[in-house]
Amino acid sequence: LSLGRFYEQGVGVARNYTKAMEWYEKAAKTGQPEGYYNLGVCFEIGMGTAAEAGKAVQNYQKAADMGLPLALYKLSSLYISGTGVRKDPAKAVGYLEKAANAGMVAAASDLGAIYLSGLLGQKKDEKKALAMFRKAAEQGSLEAVKNVAVMHKDGTGTKADPAAAYTWYLIARRGGYTGEDITRMLGLLEGSLAPEAAQKAQKDADAWIESYAKRQADEK
């Protein structure tokens, strides 16, 4: 599999998409889901072979059946666009859910947006949206952290809770999130809280970040 990437990217060897595809085929034959996924990419964009959407889907499907989160996420996008398959929003959401459960941050975040606005034929469900944004936040998405903060501030999918919103905004800022005039929002929320509540929120934010850092370290 690594040799395939070397040939694809031209790392230490002359770039050769045909050879890259050959190594991806070898990886797939040994049962590596990443081999099937990369073959899917080759057939989707015509790298080292003629583009064939149907064969791309077949290889993505094999990788997805083996539980590869990236393949599950890719299939969801193909069923949304109707590339190589008939459009099927319900299947797209199903693959997104599988990808999210397998740890795909983008899938959890996408599901949050889908349930929040009732997209792809799904019933609008703010509580479910909040749960998915929480899942994405727990997996490290700062955008999802911000979304959780906003939902607690506005009372979307949950009871309005300025202290919880302040906690999540603090997590977002300490994680490096810079959008949406976050400093102003933190000031407004802190000003609405009693000093004890603000101090507790700050401790809660510190504890969350510490827990997240520990999880990341344990996964390495």
Side-chain angles (χ1 to χ4, degrees):
L1 184 64
S2 294
L3 282 171
R5 291 184 181 132
F6 290 160
Y7 277 113
E8 178 184 342
Q9 299 168 12
V11 178
V13 294
R15 180 171 287 169
N16 187 319
Y17 294 139
T18 301
K19 283 189 176 294
M21 186 173 180
E22 289 175 0
W23 282 103
Y24 293 147
E25 287 175 331
K26 290 179 180 179
K29 286 178 181 178
T30 62
Q32 296 182 58
E34 294 85 355
Y36 284 114
Y37 179 83
N38 285 319
L39 279 176
V41 173
C42 290
F43 282 115
E44 183 179 6
I45 66 176
M47 184 176 69
T49 185
E52 294 187 58
K55 287 187 177 180
V57 172
Q58 289 173 11
N59 281 282
Y60 288 139
Q61 186 67 63
K62 288 178 181 178
D65 290 343
M66 297 171 78
L68 187 69
L70 197 57
L72 292 163
Y73 189 66
K74 168 60 77 170
L75 282 174
S76 73
S77 70
L78 296 180
Y79 277 105
I80 290 171
S81 65
T83 303
V85 292
R86 181 177 296 178
K87 285 186 179 182
D88 191 328
K91 275 191 175 181
V93 172
Y95 279 116
L96 278 176
E97 290 176 339
K98 289 179 180 179
N101 290 334
M104 189 81 183
V105 179
S109 189
D110 287 353
L111 284 169
I114 288 167
Y115 293 129
L116 183 61
S117 300
L119 305 175
L120 297 182
Q122 299 302 300
K123 183 179 178 180
K124 185 175 179 178
D125 189 331
E126 293 176 346
K127 288 185 178 180
K128 206 168 182 178
L130 179 59
M132 296 314 302
F133 284 135
R134 282 289 299 262
K135 181 186 284 286
E138 294 288 343
Q139 294 168 349
S141 169
L142 286 177
E143 185 66 27
V145 170
K146 184 270 297 182
N147 288 338
V148 172
V150 172
M151 294 180 79
H152 279 289
K153 174 178 67 71
D154 296 340
T156 305
T158 185
K159 182 179 178 180
D161 187 338
Y166 183 52
T167 298
W168 285 101
Y169 271 116
L170 282 171
I171 293 168
R173 185 176 68 177
R174 292 174 187 178
Y177 187 83
T178 58
E180 199 203 78
D181 193 11
I182 192 168
T183 300
R184 182 182 66 84
M185 189 57 64
L186 280 167
L188 289 172
L189 287 166
E190 184 177 9
S192 71
L193 299 173
E196 297 80 5
Q199 290 172 9
K200 182 180 182 304
Q202 291 164 7
K203 289 180 180 178
D204 288 344
D206 290 339
W208 190 96
I209 292 169
E210 183 179 346
S211 175
Y212 174 77
K214 185 178 185 302
R215 291 198 308 273
Q216 292 298 105
D218 289 344
E219 290 174 3
K220 292 181 178 179

